[in-house]
Amino acid sequence: MDLKSTLPACFLLFVVAGAQAQVKKTEKKEAGVVKALDSVVLNAYKQNIPYLPDAEGVDIFAGKKTNVVVLDPGMGNMSQNVVRTLFAKVPGLNTWDMDGAGTQVNIGFRGTDAHRSIEMNMRQNGYNTNSDIFGYPENHYNPPMQGIQRVQLVRGSAALQYGSQFGGMLNYVMKQGDTTAAFTIQSEQTVGSNNLFNSFNSVGGSQGKWRYYAYYDNRHGDGWRPNSAFEYHAYYADADYQFNNKGSVSFQFSRMDYRQQIAGGLTDGQFAENPRQSFRSRNYFSPKINIPAIVLHYNFSPQTRLQITSHYLFGERSSVQFINTPNIFDTINASTGTYNPRQVDRDFYGAFATEARVLHIYRIGKVTGTLSGGLRYFNEMTKRRQKGEGTTGADFDLHLIGPYGVDLRFRTHNYAAFVENIFQLTPKLSVTPGVRYEIIRTTLSGVINHASVPVLYTGNRSFPLFGTGIQYQANASTQVYGNISQAYRPYLYANVTPADRIDSVDANLKDSKGYDIDLGYRGNINNVLHFDVNAFYVSYGNRVGQLTLQDGNNANYLLTTNVGTAVTKGVELYAGISVPRLLQFHFADYDIRLFNSLAYNHGRYVNGAINKGGTNVSLKNNLLEGTPEWIERAGITFQYKTLTSSLQFSYVSKSFSDANNTVYNPTGATGMVPAYHVWDYTITWRFLQRYSISGGVNNLGNATYFSRRINMYPGPGILPADGRTFYISMGVKI
């Protein structure tokens, strides 16, 4: 970690110490005094408390490591979903900057894979949005940030309430209609570098027992690199009917689709020569995800609440690409006089899930309790067709001139039950034990290698997960929390699909299982300082990989099996402070806020081996792939009346793209990912009550960097991050 990244952390730690020294003095001076002029600042802080309450709705968060993010155009680029700025206050967030389109959200925590948030339990209004949460949990669906009210995050302890994935749970809480007006309209138009244009438009309001909200978003541009144009559409509608004073039902529909040209990866030499160049002009990717949902809320009493969600996710992901490493160019074949055929891959998803949750507050003797329990049913069919021989054309053409090399059907049934209970042992001390029981039934059928190899696989398994949280309220505004919870990740469909005749799948293949431990201290000091400091330990066992073995005839074959265990341990720190309040300068018109978000991740393999060129190589003591040791984000925000301006700094240390810790590969598909740092600037001004103007510069210093190497889509090779770009938005709300 270099000096540039440590300066913000050291400065804010100094400020934290100063804030603590000022608490008693400030409390004495403000005792009994009403300061109406501070209302804007105080309200802003209440909205930006960085963690979730003990219980909210039908969910329990006591004793867990949580975050809540209130999205603000003054803090980051919402029109392009620039996650490193919008989620900058979440320590440990590992995000891949792959392009400026904002069509994908790639995040991970504590050593988990960030590729399309594949190791996150992704939700919207409480229901899953992963394309296939059990067999192919990539999250193709990503709504525009302008339509989101806030984001809830729970780390590894989320597995008890929400199910699979070591990365935790992320829930988008969508905006709702204005309860004070029958009809409102909001429109925000954005233009920017590389012919970027984004049009976000929403309507909402309430009338009688009905409340509604809907938006449409269209985003398109040419991209920072050649051959990276995109066209994105997103739709959302919510009609909420309050059928009596105890209950309501919401009818929701979401859709997102986009088509993006894929510029492809680069070798190290090509990246050094010119990171903007591209050698792929015929590669395209296009997902389409639809999610109709019904959400029922019913309050039997102030102490008992019920929520039932039912949703159906259906859609597809399609790609047509010339698949080869970047040192092989996509050129005219001399023998045919045309380009070579491209590869066509298509998935089709259909998933139904119903989840019922209840929260009940009770009292037994002197002990107050909060019980949260639920049942879940999930049923998905995924159709996978890959390695089809596509056309020799140059446009987005999914037609075939040869059959699919892979044609499979995956079916998953899941039943789950969970219960967690807050036992409030004393006014300050609570303990929250919990248990979840999972039943998973997976079947796979079809053919591979152009129908020459039939595939039939069935995997039935069930297991419990246990966990306990503890929380101590040190005073009215600070608390100590701790948690230990088991977590798991189902093996993916790809893990149980032989690639060819020499591949075999372990009949005893197990889901990845482990546990997550958190211990932290969080709260606020006199509404001057908000902080959250915690240490964590994540054990990720039964990781899936391939080993080279010999059969009875001494012939080598590849076995897909559980290859080892990885452990990530470290520290996460968040601190946010108001400088004027720290210095006891109280003005209604302005505020200056600093924040620091720092994480140290020590990710290592503690045992295991993996195939490398036909030989099994030990993984012990290797760094966990895709896991930077240091992730630092810091920023300063200046607010004057309705003008907000922010400058943010991000530093990410080096990492490796594979478990073997390859330093260099001539294709660029594997190797080291060097450390990088990026500056971002945003500004927004609201005026005449109805209007706003926002703008900013991404990658202000025009840093040349990349955060991702990959040996598959959308590479292979190095995927450069965007250089300096700008944007400006005009908005109106009537």
Side-chain angles (χ1 to χ4, degrees):
M1 191 172 181
D2 64 13
L3 181 61
K4 292 181 180 180
S5 63
T6 57
L7 283 175
C10 294
F11 177 72
L12 275 177
L13 288 174
F14 171 79
V15 172
V16 169
Q20 292 174 326
Q22 292 287 339
V23 171
K24 292 184 179 179
K25 186 187 299 183
T26 306
E27 287 177 343
K28 290 179 180 179
K29 289 187 177 183
E30 295 192 350
V33 178
V34 177
K35 297 199 171 189
L37 295 180
D38 284 342
S39 61
V40 174
V41 176
L42 288 175
N43 287 337
Y45 267 96
K46 288 178 181 178
Q47 292 175 351
N48 287 281
I49 294 175
Y51 55 90
L52 291 163
D54 293 354
E56 185 176 74
V58 292
D59 299 314
I60 284 178
F61 303 114
K64 304 178 189 295
K65 168 63 178 177
T66 65
N67 292 95
V68 58
V69 179
V70 179
L71 299 174
D72 182 350
M75 297 297 296
N77 186 345
M78 295 177 64
S79 60
Q80 289 176 269
N81 289 6
V82 181
V83 174
R84 71 169 181 268
T85 61
L86 297 172
F87 290 16
K89 295 181 180 180
V90 180
L93 175 79
N94 185 20
T95 180
W96 286 334
D97 301 333
M98 291 168 51
D99 58 61
T103 56
Q104 299 184 22
V105 173
N106 301 281
I107 62 173
F109 292 96
R110 301 176 177 179
T112 58
D113 190 352
H115 179 70
R116 286 207 204 99
S117 309
I118 194 171
E119 296 200 61
M120 298 291 298
N121 191 304
M122 300 292 288
R123 297 187 173 224
Q124 174 182 283
N125 291 341
Y127 46 84
N128 280 118
T129 62
N130 303 77
S131 295
D132 185 336
I133 189 66
F134 288 97
Y136 184 61
E138 293 194 3
N139 191 59
H140 297 100
Y141 171 80
N142 291 295
M145 295 296 173
Q146 292 117 314
I148 299 170
Q149 184 183 72
R150 66 185 186 278
V151 182
Q152 299 172 324
L153 275 161
V154 186
R155 300 301 170 88
S157 57
L160 295 186
Q161 286 194 70
Y162 306 104
S164 61
Q165 301 310 327
F166 277 87
M169 186 277 297
L170 182 149
N171 182 42
Y172 294 122
V173 180
M174 308 303 286
K175 289 182 178 179
Q176 294 180 297
D178 191 338
T179 58
T180 64
F183 180 79
T184 61
I185 184 170
Q186 180 178 358
S187 180
E188 184 174 291
Q189 312 301 313
T190 303
V191 296
S193 301
N194 309 309
N195 290 322
L196 170 71
F197 178 74
N198 185 76
S199 178
F200 178 84
N201 306 277
S202 69
V203 295
S206 60
Q207 184 69 42
K209 294 185 176 183
W210 288 93
R211 184 181 184 184
Y212 67 95
Y213 178 77
Y215 68 67
Y216 167 69
D217 186 58
N218 171 243
R219 185 185 316 140
H220 57 82
D222 295 336
W224 184 69
R225 298 173 65 197
N227 306 319
S228 57
F230 59 92
E231 180 81 27
Y232 166 95
H233 305 271
Y235 314 77
Y236 175 76
D238 175 20
D240 189 342
Y241 179 67
Q242 188 82 32
F243 51 83
N244 60 32
N245 60 357
K246 291 186 176 182
S248 66
V249 59
S250 296
F251 304 93
Q252 302 175 5
F253 177 78
S254 308
R255 176 182 169 88
M256 184 222 68
D257 66 81
Y258 66 87
R259 181 181 299 176
Q260 187 165 9
Q261 195 175 11
I262 306 300
L266 301 176
T267 66
D268 290 72
Q270 292 166 350
F271 177 81
E273 179 186 41
N274 179 9
R276 299 191 72 167
Q277 62 185 326
S278 166
F279 301 103
R280 297 289 182 267
S281 62
R282 303 191 300 137
N283 291 7
Y284 296 87
F285 178 73
S286 178
K288 301 174 183 177
I289 302 296
N290 306 274
I291 313 176
I294 298 177
V295 182
L296 171 70
H297 296 275
Y298 195 82
N299 297 332
F300 293 97
S301 70
Q303 291 76 37
T304 306
R305 300 191 287 267
L306 171 70
Q307 175 182 291
I308 301 176
T309 62
S310 291
H311 80 282
Y312 181 66
L313 184 151
F314 65 96
E316 63 180 273
R317 56 84 68 206
S318 302
S319 64
V320 54
Q321 293 180 270
F322 176 75
I323 300 292
N324 250 314
T325 54
N327 56 330
I328 299 176
F329 299 114
D330 184 12
T331 56
I332 299 292
N333 188 318
S335 62
T336 63
T338 65
Y339 285 104
N340 289 314
R342 294 172 293 176
Q343 178 175 309
V344 175
D345 295 331
R346 305 195 71 181
D347 280 358
F348 300 88
Y349 313 109
F352 173 78
T354 292
E355 195 164 4
R357 293 169 173 264
V358 63
L359 185 139
H360 177 64
I361 303 171
Y362 63 92
R363 187 176 183 87
I364 300 176
K366 295 183 179 181
V367 177
T368 300
T370 303
L371 174 72
S372 177
L375 299 171
R376 172 183 170 88
Y377 168 73
F378 174 89
N379 179 2
E380 169 127 18
M381 168 67 82
T382 294
K383 299 178 182 179
R384 171 160 293 178
R385 293 176 172 175
Q386 295 181 335
K387 298 183 179 180
E389 187 177 358
T391 69
T392 60
D395 58 352
F396 181 68
D397 185 356
L398 297 175
H399 289 94
L400 299 181
I401 60 175
Y404 285 104
V406 174
D407 193 348
L408 299 170
R409 300 292 183 273
F410 307 98
R411 169 75 74 178
T412 300
H413 286 88
N414 169 244
Y415 309 86
F418 85 92
V419 62
E420 282 194 282
N421 195 100
I422 303 175
F423 292 101
Q424 195 69 46
L425 303 180
T426 73
K428 291 188 175 183
L429 178 65
S430 67
V431 177
T432 308
V435 62
R436 184 182 185 90
Y437 191 77
E438 291 274 0
I439 299 173
I440 306 172
R441 298 174 179 171
T442 299
T443 59
L444 181 159
S445 61
V447 294
I448 60 174
N449 285 355
H450 304 289
S452 65
V453 179
V455 176
L456 183 62
Y457 176 86
T458 300
N460 298 330
R461 61 265 197 215
S462 60
F463 47 84
L465 301 172
F466 297 96
T468 299
I470 187 169
Q471 186 168 291
Y472 179 76
Q473 198 72 32
N475 56 47
S477 58
T478 65
Q479 57 189 216
V480 179
Y481 63 94
N483 193 287
I484 178 169
S485 293
Q486 291 179 297
Y488 81 103
R489 186 196 192 200
Y491 51 74
L492 306 184
Y493 294 144
N495 300 141
V496 293
T497 306
D500 52 45
R501 292 179 184 273
I502 67 168
D503 282 8
S504 181
V505 178
D506 188 348
N508 297 312
L509 185 70
K510 299 178 178 64
D511 300 300
S512 298
K513 291 186 67 177
Y515 57 91
D516 181 284
I517 302 175
D518 273 295
L519 180 63
Y521 181 49
R522 63 192 175 196
N524 75 82
I525 299 176
N526 202 40
N527 281 322
V528 173
L529 166 73
H530 287 92
F531 67 93
D532 190 347
V533 183
N534 77 290
F536 65 88
Y537 183 98
V538 179
S539 177
Y540 194 148
N542 293 339
R543 293 175 74 96
V544 178
Q546 288 187 321
L547 296 176
T548 299
L549 301 179
Q550 287 187 333
D551 59 20
N553 298 318
N554 294 324
N556 288 342
Y557 70 96
L558 290 175
L559 176 69
T560 298
T561 185
N562 301 106
V563 299
T565 298
V567 167
T568 306
K569 51 191 174 182
V571 177
E572 296 165 338
L573 161 71
Y574 168 77
I577 197 161
S578 168
V579 176
R581 291 184 64 80
L582 172 67
L583 302 177
Q584 302 181 55
F585 297 147
H586 301 296
F587 299 96
D589 291 340
Y590 85 94
D591 189 19
I592 299 174
R593 300 189 295 274
L594 301 174
F595 80 86
N596 188 70
S597 174
L598 174 67
Y600 172 69
N601 296 279
H602 184 274
R604 299 290 189 276
Y605 282 91
V606 297
N607 59 59
I610 197 168
N611 171 71
K612 182 180 181 181
T615 303
N616 295 332
V617 179
S618 174
L619 294 177
K620 188 175 181 179
N621 296 324
N622 279 16
L623 276 68
L624 200 56
E625 64 269 29
T627 305
E629 286 195 331
W630 292 97
I631 300 176
E632 158 73 3
R633 294 187 175 93
I636 181 171
T637 299
F638 173 77
Q639 178 181 325
Y640 177 72
K641 294 185 177 180
T642 58
L643 176 71
T644 303
S645 179
S646 297
L647 179 66
Q648 292 187 12
F649 169 79
S650 298
Y651 169 84
V652 179
S653 66
K654 72 175 183 180
S655 61
F656 291 94
S657 63
D658 66 340
N660 288 314
N661 290 181
T662 303
V663 176
Y664 172 77
N665 184 303
T667 68
T670 58
M672 188 181 72
V673 177
Y676 62 89
H677 62 270
V678 185
W679 293 87
D680 297 286
Y681 175 74
T682 59
I683 186 170
T684 184
W685 178 40
R686 298 176 179 86
F687 58 98
L688 299 178
Q689 297 183 336
R690 297 179 177 178
Y691 304 95
S692 66
I693 182 170
S694 302
V697 182
N698 303 319
N699 192 357
L700 184 63
N702 200 28
T704 299
Y705 74 102
F706 62 93
S707 56
R708 184 84 195 275
R709 294 180 187 263
I710 194 168
N711 58 8
M712 53 180 179
Y713 163 87
I718 291 172
L719 302 179
D722 284 12
R724 184 192 297 118
T725 59
F726 77 92
Y727 68 97
I728 186 169
S729 303
M730 292 290 297
V732 60
K733 184 176 182 179
I734 301 174

